[in-house]
Every structure is written in structure tokens, then in C-alpha cells.
Amino acid sequence: MALCTLEAVTKDYAMGEVRVPALQGVSVQIEAGEFTAFAGPSGSGKTTLLNLVGLLDVPTTGTVRMEGQDVKALSGHALGRLRARRIGFIFQSFNLIPVLTAFENVELALRLAGEHGPDNGDRVRKALVDVGLERFMDRRPSQMSGGQQQRVAIARALVKRPALVIADEPTANLDSKNGEAILEDMRRMNVEHGATFIFSTHDKMVIEHASRVVHIMDGKVLQDERRTPRPLPPRPPANGTPGDGTAA
Amino acid sequence: MLVVRLALRNASRNVRRTALTALTVLLGTMLLVVGMSWVRGIFGQFQAEAARSTGHVRVTTQAWAEREQLQPLYENIPRTAPLVQRLERVEGVSAVHPRLQLGVLASKDGGELGDTLALVVGAPLAYHRDVLGLPERVAQGAWFDEDPQVAGKQALVGRALAREMALSPGDKAIFLGRTQDGSMSDVAFTVVGIVDTGNVLYDKQVYVDLERTRWMADIPEGALEVLVYGEDYQAAEELQAQVALALADPGLAAELALAPDARLIAQAWSQREPWASALKLVNAIVGIVIGCIVFITALGVLNTMLMSVLERTGEIGVLRAMGLGTAGVLALFVVEALVISTVGGAVGASLGSGLAIALQGVGVDLGGAASNLPDTMPVNRVLHPLWSPDLAVSAFLLGLVMAVVGSSTPALRATRIQPVQAMRARR
Ligand SMILES: Nc1ncnc2c1ncn2[C@@H]1O[C@H](COP(=O)(O)OP(=O)(O)O)[C@@H](O)[C@H]1O
Ligand SMILES: [Mg+2]
């Protein structure tokens, strides 16, 4: 069974009197373990598509299934619970909670997923160590570089072991070196933990990391290609790369 | 727990805005403490005076109570001694005084006859002494003579009346009144002292021994009213029930020589007009004023909290995306407002208490303004607020109400932020 299925999905936005057709009949199946990029120029409908896959929004017509279940049948409350437990989010602008430390931001995701076990602390610490942030756990977002913030976001998305991680242009606000590092972190989570990733991008370099690329144009799927991703470099030494603390 | 921690952090996030919210609540609670202590001071004083001057519970004939403005002197209680004796034995009663007040035309001996209208308060000297506390109020002259024969012909005159009639201690005054069957009756008194009661009503009265007004009204053993006092005037209605029970004795009417159709009634001060209506009115006004203060303060809280909600739209979207429910979002903002107003309310209640206590010591002198008040209002010339800890506590709790009321609209608005907002969030 596919992890996530979109069947003939359309999405219109109302802009006053005008209807903007953002998606015009998209059908895609995402299998568990994939590392999929939605690629396309700005305005092509990538974010709209991720909103649907991430259960943040509902389609105008067509069907979205998560683990076989038609999400149309679910209430807003049930969708929220499903998101909290099964889906992790990484955003273009990182979107950490500014008043919480790195540790607390990650912990928040676990708590919202309904996990209150005694090992929560260890799980949070492990998630942050996995992205090389063991020395930054008590920092607030404003005390970290963009690259570090996005790593916290990765830890936050993955700490609850979600079935699916959604990332909307995760590298768009980072320089190329940090962007590359983030992609490698995500890829490592994909390989080591088997987490399924769907991310959007319009960056050629980023696409090279994907095992599958769905090309989007004007709200339609132009091409769906499976490819061999660029090999992962060996794991970098702990504590991130030098210079990480200043960029952003 | 999680939401509480987040709300606490959010409260310390924008220091200026939080300070503004706290200040709003601070001012609201402060105003409440000061305002409520003034209301309590003024109306408490008012009520205490009313209860003092008219008895915590008053026993009269029903006919007198119904038409007392017309002074139907024949509706008296012909013999009061047995009634006083019985009432003194009632549980909770601390003092019982018969009283016979007469409206008279007063004139200074040698002056024109019937210049001035005055009220002569005839009661046992113990009433003037213990209930009205007049011995300490003698501003000129002296207290009644030790010899009852002499004292019976003496009068203490209120300051305002003495000034109006140009009376000094030692002067003779003539009071022209009526007997119970309507004939004219005049009595001469020697002014023994001038009393400055500090109260507008009392300063216009004349105080004499009961026997003298009995003689004047030709009610040799009776009185118009029997005033009953308990320990606490606030408990007057419980006392009234006890007194009414004592009056129910069927043998009593004969002992008191009441006319066959006469009935006695007991009324607590708070059950009598104008106090019964005034109390309701005051409570209504206080309620409205408190409501207004809470409402205005809540509007201030609403304003600042709404700014926070609008500013955090993206962040709330992220929390919604991560699965925070509607209740969680509501709680996030209500708890933040509660945290801020706990601090603001505590400081406001403390500052308000300080101010009220300071004013309580000083008081505000109404001066000339008070002397223009109607004669029937026992208003003191110097007004004091009356603070008590429960006022501070209520104001503090109302501060929390302001927070909940003020933050509910922004919080509801926050619940309408959709999870998709997370994707659009930019900083
Ligand atoms: N909330 C919205 N209201 C109106 N139009 C929207 C909204 N969101 C996106 N659109 C429009 O839908 C189209 C697809 O947008 P989007 O999914 O954001 O594309 P991308 O992420 O590829 O840049 C664009 O034309 C955009 O202007
Ligand atoms: Mg986009």
C-alpha cells in the first residue's frame, strides 16, 4: 500500500471574485522510504501540493489518502492528531518557536504527538545529536545561525518517528554550503531511519539528492522520474562545521 | 503544562507590550480598590449612622410607621416600660431606648415666637450618651446636670441650629409643639451645651430628656418608638426576627395599654425606607461601576493581546500544523493574559490598598457643601474611605476576570488561524 496517494486532485484559491486554479488534476503516489522532490518554478503549485500531502489543507476536488485512509472523512481535530503523530514539517523559514530553546522546540513536537514517556528527554537529545547540535540544545532560535535552526527543525520533525516528513523549500533561506549540509542531514535520516521525505525546491543542486523527482508546472505534473541520488558523503564530525555559528 | 510554559515565555517576550497590558490591569484593579473602599466608606458610614439614629430595630405601632411624616402623636405606645423590660431580655439585644421626637417651632427666649423649625429628640440620657456619644461632642457649655430635676429642664442644641438661632449655653429657648390630642404645648429649656456632632442631620436637632417630651406631648408613660440595638448593625434583620417573636405575646397589648385595634411592628433599619431602596440603588450603582471598570480594562487587554495574536499568526499556524488543538490555542492566550494580570492585579491591588489606607487616615472634608444637604440625611461632614483586605482580594480576582474577558476575543481569533498559515509564515 502506498503511504500517500493523490487522485485527480485540484485546488482553487479564491482571490476576491477571481478563482486561481493552483492545482489542475494531480495524481501522485508516494511510497514509504522515498526521498521525493517536487520540482518546479515559483508559483507552479509546489507548496499547495505539500499542503495537501501534509494534511494541512483539503483539495477542492479529488481524493487524498494517507496510509489508505481518505482524509475527507476526517474532522479538523482528527486531522490535527494525525499530523501530530504521523507527519513532520520542515519549513522554508525554519519557523521554530522563538521563545523555546532548541531542546524545548524538539520536545514540543513529542508532547504534541501525545508522547509523555520517561525517555522523552533522551529521545530529544538523540535527535539533536543526530543533526550535530549537542552543544546548542539550550540556545534559542535567535542565538543560532540559519543552518543550525533548520537542523533543529529537522530534529523536531523526526523526533516522533513520523511516517512522512514534509519540507517546503528547506534550503531556500540558506547559503549553498548550509543548504547542502541540510540536504545531507535529511538524506541521512532517510537512509538510516527509513523516514519518507517529500520536499519542494526549484534548485538544480538540491534535486540531485532526490531518489524521485516530480516536475510540476502550472499546477500539473509534467514528469515523474526516478533516479539514483548523489552518494552521501561520510558523516561529518560532531558539532557541525566551523563557521556554522555565524552564518544566517 | 506545555501550554502554560509556552504562555509564560510568551508573556516575557515583548516587554513593552506586556508592561502595557499589566499596567492596564494594574490601573483597573487600583481603581477598583480605591473606588470600592470609598463606596464602602461613604455608604457604610451612611448606613451605620442610619442604624444608629433609627435603631438597629425599631418597634412602633403599625399606624405610626405608616404615617410617621404626619406625626400622628396619638398613634403612640402608651406605656413603654414593660416593653423595654421584655426586649432587654431578648437574645442579642444590647440596649433598648424609648424615644419621643417632636417637631417644634423654636425660638430664643425674648425673640420672635416660632422662628425656626426644629426636631426635639426626647430619650433617656443614656441614649444621648451611649448611642449618640454626645458627651464627647459638647463643643461649648456642658453635659446635662447630675440632678435629674435640673437635667430635665436642660437641652443640648446642635451646632447648626444654635448658630441659626444665635443660642449660647445659658440661654433660654422656647419650643412650641403639640400634645397628642392636638392642643398647643410650649416648653422652655435652658441651653446647657452646644454639640458639634460632625453630622449634618444631628447638628440641626435638640436633645432633651424623655420625660420632658412626654410631658410636652402629654404621653406620660409612653413613647412613639422603642429603639433596639444589637452588637452589629449589619445583623439587624436577624435581630428583627427575634424582636418580632417577643412582640407576638398576646398578653403584651394589655400591659402596654394599647388601643384594641393597635398593633406593634418591628422593623430593621435596612427594611425601612429610604434605606431599603437606597441600599438596592447603591448596590446597583456599584455593580454598574465595577462592570464599567472591568469592561474598560478588558478592552485594554483585548487590544494588546490582539496585537500579539496578529503578530504570531505564522507561529500559531506552525503549532496548529504540529497538532495543537483549538483548546490549546485558546489556553495559550488566556493563560498568557492571566499571568500578566496576576502581576498587574497584585501590584494594582497593593497600590490601591496603600492609597485607600492613606486616604482613610486623612479623609475628605465636605465643608460647606454638606450643610446644604437635606435635613433627613445623616451625612458626616468628613468622609473617609473604608479599606479592608477582602476589597483587595476582590479587586485582584476581578483583575483576573478582566484578563479572561479581554483575552477571550483575541484567543478565539487565534483559533481561527489555519494550519496552512505555517507554510506561509515568514520572519
Ligand atoms: N492563499 C492563496 N490565495 C490565493 N492564491 C494562492 C494562494 N496560495 C497560492 N496561491 C496561488 O497558487 C499558485 C500556486 O502557488 P504555490 O503553491 O505557492 O506555488 P509554489 O509553492 O510552487 O511557489 C500561485 O499562482 C499562487 O499565486
Ligand atoms: Mg512555495
Side-chain angles (χ1 to χ4, degrees):
Chain A
M1 182 182 66
L3 176 64
C4 176
T5 315
L6 273 63
E7 292 163 18
V9 161
T10 71
K11 180 73 187 181
D12 295 347
Y13 291 112
M15 286 262 287
E17 298 289 288
V18 194
R19 283 188 327 131
V20 181
L23 294 177
Q24 312 183 43
V26 173
S27 297
V28 191
Q29 277 201 11
I30 306 293
E31 303 295 335
E34 285 185 338
F35 198 71
T36 307
F38 288 166
S42 180
S44 56
K46 304 181 297 294
T47 298
T48 305
L49 201 49
L50 287 182
N51 284 342
L52 298 182
V53 178
L55 312 187
L56 296 173
D57 207 351
V58 288
T60 308
T61 64
T63 309
V64 176
R65 290 179 201 283
M66 177 72 188
E67 297 177 313
Q69 187 171 27
D70 187 346
V71 302
K72 221 178 297 168
L74 297 176
S75 68
H77 179 72
L79 279 177
R81 282 169 58 90
L82 199 55
R83 280 197 307 270
R85 285 159 207 272
R86 306 295 288 156
I87 305 178
F89 294 94
I90 299 167
F91 304 100
Q92 181 177 338
S93 312
F94 325 135
N95 292 352
L96 300 178
I97 305 302
V99 291
L100 299 180
T101 62
F103 186 93
E104 290 166 337
N105 262 285
V106 177
E107 189 187 21
L108 175 69
L110 263 190
R111 298 281 206 86
L112 288 175
E115 304 208 28
H116 304 281
D119 62 337
N120 270 10
D122 291 338
R123 289 174 65 180
V124 171
R125 230 164 275 124
K126 166 116 185 8
L128 283 163
V129 169
D130 278 351
V131 291
L133 287 179
E134 50 271 55
R135 292 197 304 144
F136 298 90
M137 294 200 195
D138 295 327
R139 294 225 185 155
R140 292 208 183 178
S142 61
Q143 300 165 319
M144 290 187 279
S145 71
Q148 288 167 337
Q149 288 186 53
Q150 198 62 308
R151 290 210 177 94
V152 176
I154 293 174
R156 177 174 75 173
L158 282 147
V159 69
K160 60 194 183 190
R161 302 224 170 284
L164 178 63
V165 178
I166 301 288
D168 192 25
E169 310 217 23
T171 62
N173 282 358
L174 298 172
D175 59 38
S176 60
K177 197 179 98 227
N178 271 307
E180 191 93 12
I182 286 298
L183 250 296
E184 280 166 15
D185 272 337
M186 284 168 53
R187 183 96 177 90
R188 194 168 291 114
M189 298 297 158
N190 172 245
V191 173
E192 290 174 9
H193 301 305
T196 309
F197 278 79
I198 308 175
F199 58 96
S200 68
T201 187
H202 55 255
D203 183 339
K204 282 256 154 35
M205 178 278 290
V206 173
I207 293 169
E208 292 188 0
H209 287 273
S211 65
R212 179 182 174 189
V213 183
V214 179
H215 294 272
I216 315 284
M217 183 65 111
D218 297 332
K220 289 182 197 128
V221 174
L222 212 61
Q223 192 193 349
D224 189 346
E225 95 184 274
R226 279 163 214 272
R227 52 189 303 289
T228 313
R230 218 167 71 179
L232 261 179
R235 200 183 174 89
N239 301 347
T241 48
D244 232 14
T246 51
Chain B
M1 253 6 269
L2 181 87
V3 165
V4 172
R5 196 196 325 166
L6 206 51
L8 273 168
R9 297 279 177 86
N10 279 338
S12 59
R13 188 162 169 177
N14 185 329
V15 176
R16 276 184 55 195
R17 185 179 307 153
T18 297
L20 195 63
T21 311
L23 196 68
T24 309
V25 176
L26 185 153
L27 288 176
T29 44
M30 195 167 132
L31 205 60
L32 280 177
V33 174
V34 175
M36 290 194 299
S37 61
W38 269 109
V39 168
R40 188 176 283 195
I42 294 170
F43 290 99
Q45 222 166 32
F46 213 57
Q47 289 169 13
E49 285 307 331
R52 202 148 73 106
S53 63
T54 70
H56 295 178
V57 176
R58 187 184 74 160
V59 179
T60 63
T61 63
Q62 175 142 26
W64 167 263
E66 280 165 5
R67 291 182 293 136
E68 64 184 293
Q69 295 86 347
L70 305 177
Q71 292 231 322
L73 299 182
Y74 48 88
E75 303 289 10
N76 57 60
I77 304 169
R79 196 178 289 147
T80 50
L83 181 60
V84 170
Q85 264 176 28
R86 278 179 186 240
L87 292 178
E88 276 172 345
R89 289 199 302 268
V90 170
E91 200 188 317
V93 169
S94 55
V96 183
H97 299 287
R99 188 171 71 175
L100 180 45
Q101 299 191 135
L102 298 172
V104 297
L105 285 170
S107 52
K108 192 174 172 177
D109 192 22
E112 266 184 59
L113 193 68
D115 261 340
T116 314
L117 284 166
L119 189 70
V120 178
V121 181
L125 296 189
Y127 170 82
H128 299 320
R129 186 185 62 224
D130 302 336
V131 177
L132 301 184
L134 293 184
E136 296 94 72
R137 302 295 189 165
V138 177
Q140 285 176 55
W143 177 247
F144 292 96
D145 198 278
E146 304 244 324
D147 179 353
Q149 288 296 326
V150 181
K153 295 194 166 85
Q154 291 177 330
L156 282 172
V157 181
R159 185 179 88 131
L161 184 67
R163 190 184 300 141
E164 194 181 333
M165 295 177 63
L167 287 172
S168 310
D171 287 347
K172 210 166 224 179
I174 314 270
F175 297 128
L176 180 63
R178 288 176 301 126
T179 64
Q180 64 166 315
D181 55 20
S183 15
M184 299 284 245
S185 146
D186 65 304
V187 181
F189 289 96
T190 306
V191 178
V192 63
I194 309 292
V195 284
D196 180 358
T197 62
N199 184 292
V200 180
L201 174 60
Y202 300 165
D203 271 2
K204 292 177 181 167
Q205 297 178 345
V206 180
Y207 304 89
V208 302
D209 184 38
L210 176 65
E211 294 308 325
R212 207 60 177 154
T213 46
R214 274 180 169 168
W215 187 81
M216 199 167 161
D218 192 21
I219 307 172
E221 293 176 66
L224 290 166
E225 309 162 292
V226 172
L227 310 183
V228 184
Y229 293 86
E231 290 305 327
D232 178 12
Y233 75 89
Q234 302 282 17
E237 298 192 11
E238 287 84 21
L239 189 65
Q240 186 271 342
Q242 296 290 321
V243 171
L245 220 59
L247 296 184
D249 181 351
L252 192 61
E255 261 184 76
L256 306 184
L258 283 175
D261 57 342
R263 271 194 60 228
L264 291 181
I265 58 162
Q267 292 168 301
W269 68 273
S270 52
Q271 294 165 329
R272 287 174 47 204
E273 297 301 343
W275 309 113
S277 305
L279 272 177
K280 278 189 207 125
L281 190 68
V282 168
N283 286 338
I285 292 172
V286 168
I288 290 168
V289 170
I290 288 176
C292 285
I293 294 175
V294 170
F295 180 74
I296 292 168
T297 311
L299 273 186
V301 174
L302 184 144
N303 197 27
T304 49
M305 291 305 289
L306 199 56
M307 288 203 282
S308 296
V309 170
L310 294 178
E311 204 170 77
R312 297 179 202 157
T313 300
E315 188 178 320
I316 296 159
V318 171
L319 290 168
R320 301 281 282 136
M322 289 170 68
L324 185 67
T326 313
V329 176
L330 265 180
L332 195 57
F333 286 95
V334 174
V335 170
E336 180 178 346
L338 276 175
V339 168
I340 296 173
S341 61
T342 300
V343 176
V347 176
S350 310
L351 287 180
S353 297
L355 194 60
I357 291 167
L359 284 171
Q360 197 168 320
V362 181
V364 173
D365 195 341
L366 289 185
S371 57
N372 295 328
L373 286 168
D375 287 359
T376 49
M377 290 172 66
V379 181
N380 284 4
R381 282 199 307 271
V382 182
L383 299 179
H384 299 268
L386 183 61
W387 179 86
S388 65
D390 62 304
L391 282 187
V393 173
S394 338
F396 175 75
L397 293 178
L398 282 170
L400 300 188
V401 172
M402 298 169 199
V404 174
V405 171
S407 62
S408 57
T409 306
L412 278 171
R413 177 157 187 154
T415 62
R416 291 207 299 272
I417 294 171
Q418 296 299 313
V420 271
Q421 293 291 334
M423 287 292 208
R424 317 247 171 244
R426 300 280 179 274
R427 275 182 298 123

